[in-house]
Amino acid sequence: MIFPCILSGGVGTRLWPLSRKDRPKQFLPLFDGESLFQMTCKRVNHTGFAAPIVIGSNTHRFQMGEQLSDLNIEANTILLEPVGRNTAPPALMAAIIAAETDPEALILLLPSDHLIRKEDVFLETVHAAEDAARNGKIVTFGITPSEPNTGYGYINVASGGEAVRPVEQFVEKPDYERAKAFLKEGSYVWNAGIFLYSARTMIDAFKQFQPELYRDIAAVMETRHSDLDFTRLDQASFEKLDNISIDYAIMEKSDNVVCAPVSPEWDDLGSWSAIWSVLDKDECGNTGLGDTRFLESRNCLAYSQQSLVSVIGLKDVMVIATSDSVLVAHKDNAQDVKTVVDQLKAEGRHEADRHPRAYKPWGYTERINAGDRFAVQSMMIKPGKRLSLQSHLHRTEHWIVVSGTVEITIDGQTRLLTENQSAFVPLGARHTLHNPGKIPVRMIEVQSGTYLAEDDIQRHTGDV
């Protein structure tokens, strides 16, 4: 049995403005309504694999839970990282979790933001590497390179025709000329950051090469506690862990690392130009997502979240339009999107990190408009879910039900509202919302007052 460990802590700033800190690229439904996270979970939802161990950011906990639920996949655990600490801590944490079931269990460590089009080829290679992993090897999967890409690390693999071969050397991201030489030489593969190992092997490797980090992570794992469908860790202890990759911590130090070369049509989709390259195109090479139109344009990408986007007389251009931001760039400058995001962060702009849609344990809110003394947002409340009992010191609220039936409580008075009905929440009134039905409730909320930020919420306990 293989325990898949799905890592979901990345941000993907080069896919801004669609990918942001609070909803990064792995959760974006860009592939026929499915996200990369969901595709990764489905990839290992087969006989021979245990329920997945999901390790990701506390910020994204509801997105992880909701997207797993949409697939009817129940995780072994969803372990929440209070802060990002790279890939070494998750590699060991997954081993500790799997070892509690079987010390010899195998773990397949998988980033959640990779696209693998030939999944059967990938899975065949994983199964071919099982014996090596059971015999104490740490298997890394190397992607046969298709171009001299400077955005990936490389692995120099020993010659031979075996499915799993010794690693001669790990190489940092090279410049273009060196990458061309690697491609010509033929023994180099891209480092995909995918690993297969036994729980015992990884635990022993940390004890040998990172003894202090092993002790710190083992201590952090002792702080595990449940919270709804998630497993939390002590934040103060976790923040003290070294921020280090599994490559630096273990792979480059160990002498039992081997590589399984594979050609599964893999891409880590680190830019909009990479997204364009893998999507279906029209006869002029254009790709449109959402309400888009092309006229006398070639090899362009257009994405529209809401409004119509028309691209006229352009070549090799990307137009990405969300409800609050628009990106227009030449495909050759796709990597420069990160520079714009860094500038926005320096200016304190919310567009750098926050989507208009904010996911909650009960559903989500989505900002529609805001101005001096008012804000308008839509709300979706899942069946059976309830908001906390709360009040506001600086704003009133007006609710309008768009669809479904919602139970509202305002200062102890409870009643039902259905489509086209509304209610007013006075300043300071204790109020809550509950969806007692079987379908989602969709509402519009209009806030009015002198201060409309999220921290003007006083939460109350006790009977509603």
Side-chain angles (χ1 to χ4, degrees), residues 69 148 161 169 239 277 293 296 334 404-405 429:
S69 178
Q169 182 186 17
E239 287 178 344
S277 70
R293 300 290 187 276
E296 297 181 3
T405 298

Side-chain angles (χ1 to χ4, degrees), residues 248-385:
Y248 285 132
I250 302 297
M251 300 300 164
E252 295 182 7
K253 294 179 170 61
S254 177
D255 60 0
N256 67 335
V257 178
V258 294
C259 182
V262 61
S263 302
E265 294 190 9
W266 169 95
D267 202 306
D268 76 344
L269 300 180
S271 68
W272 281 114
S273 59
I275 294 288
W276 171 84
S277 70
V278 301
L279 294 176
D280 293 336
K281 304 168 185 65
D282 65 17
E283 64 277 8
C284 295
N286 300 311
T287 294
L289 296 170
D291 194 2
T292 59
R293 300 290 187 276
F294 298 95
L295 179 63
E296 297 181 3
S297 296
R298 301 189 66 84
N299 301 327
C300 291
L301 168 66
Y303 171 87
S304 171
Q305 192 172 57
Q306 292 181 342
S307 305
L308 168 66
V309 171
S310 297
V311 179
I312 303 173
L314 296 177
K315 181 181 179 182
D316 295 324
V317 166
M318 312 175 299
V319 182
I320 313 299
T322 67
S323 61
D324 66 344
S325 301
V326 178
L327 167 71
V328 181
H330 193 280
K331 285 194 300 186
D332 289 348
N333 297 97
Q335 297 297 328
D336 295 332
V337 173
K338 185 178 184 298
T339 303
V340 174
V341 176
D342 291 341
Q343 291 173 350
L344 293 174
K345 288 180 179 178
E347 296 168 11
R349 295 287 298 258
H350 72 267
E351 293 92 344
D353 294 325
R354 299 198 307 274
H355 269 277
R357 178 175 291 189
Y359 287 87
K360 310 288 186 178
W362 44 263
Y364 63 77
T365 63
E366 186 160 5
R367 185 172 63 251
I368 297 174
N369 199 359
D372 186 28
R373 296 180 60 90
F374 83 92
V376 183
Q377 66 179 10
S378 63
M379 302 173 63
M380 186 280 284
I381 306 173
K382 300 175 185 177
K385 296 297 184 179

